[in-house]
Amino acid sequence: MALTLAGTDDAATAGDAPLSVRGLTVGYGGSPVVFSIDMDVTPGAMTAIIGPNGAGKSTLLKAALGIVPRLSGQVAVFGRPLARARDRIAYVPQRASVDWDFPTTVIDVVLMGLYSRLGLLRRVKARHRAQAMECLSRVGMEAFADRQIGRLSGGQQQRVFLARALAQDADLYLLDEPFAGVDAATEAAIIRVLKALKDEGRTVVCVHHDLSTVTEYFDHVFLLNRTRIAAGPVATAFTAETLQQAYGGRLAEAQLDQLALA
């Protein structure tokens, strides 16, 4: 269940954006999945990565983190190489990618977010458990601290992984489809926590699939379909034109009308 962010010691790209990507290309079996992506994440904002199924949204995030290898490209975090800034990043993977049969409790999962501060022996002290419980409280899961992680519902599991990310006390939070397959109460709880992080000056980036909540939840968008389509504030980049470009013209006019876009 522990997460390791692999990656090379890239040269930092220009500027000090929370996440800056230049020329990122990723391929599987010799075929590019994402091609020549440039991306600069706005600090202190919530950004949604949007595109159709198979567009490379999760691949972009994982490649930027070094979880999957890149064919080319550079990544910087707050102006520094990824390898030298991992302690400023918290990552919440897709729930479907996690082995929920792993024999561990909820509190132990959250304590994993504190490993960098526990030292080599990882001796958990009372203050560490108190910090973990505070993070569980923020996501409404403190009553489940001793529950085996596999016995939780999907929404509860997602809240626990968000609590683990909170325990890292990071500056940049990267989440891969945090609202996928969760109930309405969990979605509301997650977005409250993410907006609170933004209010604290943290930066939040989410791979997101629900177009109907983009304008309510996010400040910026990054649209892609294997390559970059558009990026910027929601008001200017999340339009009927850019969405049709990203989705290959497959969105019906009725869908766009419901979004009340420019």
Side-chain angles (χ1 to χ4, degrees), residues 61-261:
L61 203 63
K62 291 176 182 178
L65 286 166
I67 296 172
V68 299
R70 308 186 296 270
L71 294 178
S72 65
Q74 293 184 335
V75 176
V77 176
F78 294 100
R80 303 181 65 194
L82 171 65
R84 299 179 186 174
R86 292 175 185 160
D87 60 340
R88 301 188 69 179
I89 306 170
Y91 171 58
V92 179
Q94 286 189 23
R95 194 173 61 83
S97 67
V98 177
D99 178 10
W100 296 109
D101 292 327
F102 192 83
T104 189
T105 63
V106 165
I107 189 72
D108 286 337
V109 171
V110 180
L111 284 168
M112 291 176 187
L114 293 170
Y115 276 179
S116 64
R117 282 174 270 167
L118 294 181
L120 291 176
L121 298 180
R122 292 179 177 172
R123 290 177 177 169
V124 177
K125 299 181 180 179
R127 71 175 185 273
H128 298 131
R129 292 187 66 86
Q131 290 171 2
M133 287 299 297
E134 181 181 355
C135 294
L136 283 172
S137 179
R138 290 183 68 177
V139 300
M141 289 295 294
E142 65 273 23
F144 297 84
D146 296 321
R147 185 78 59 88
Q148 206 278 332
I149 190 71
R151 294 178 56 204
L152 302 180
S153 70
Q156 290 171 334
Q157 290 170 342
Q158 192 73 311
R159 293 192 198 205
V160 172
F161 262 52
L162 178 56
R164 184 186 71 168
L166 293 175
Q168 293 177 251
D169 193 26
D171 298 306
L172 172 62
Y173 288 80
L174 305 175
L175 303 94
D176 196 349
E177 301 220 19
F179 308 113
V182 303
D183 57 88
T186 293
E187 181 162 337
I190 290 173
I191 197 62
R192 279 198 302 270
V193 171
L194 297 184
K195 288 187 174 182
L197 288 171
K198 185 188 79 166
D199 291 343
E200 295 168 6
R202 321 295 177 106
T203 302
V204 178
V205 180
C206 298
V207 172
H208 191 61
H209 69 281
D210 184 1
L211 299 181
S212 69
T213 57
V214 169
T215 56
E216 178 184 357
Y217 289 175
F218 297 97
D219 308 301
H220 291 254
V221 293
F222 186 90
L223 278 76
L224 80 159
N225 191 344
R226 298 186 179 269
T227 192
R228 169 176 165 156
I229 302 297
V234 168
T236 57
F238 188 68
T239 67
E241 180 181 359
T242 58
L243 282 170
Q244 288 292 33
Q245 290 176 18
Y247 285 80
R250 297 194 301 271
L251 295 178
E253 291 298 326
Q255 291 177 277
L256 295 174
D257 289 343
Q258 289 178 348
L259 297 175
L261 299 174

Side-chain angles (χ1 to χ4, degrees), residues 1-22:
M1 301 278 291
L3 176 69
T4 299
L5 300 183
T8 58
D9 191 9
D10 295 325
T13 55
D16 57 357
L19 178 64
S20 184
V21 173
R22 290 291 178 273

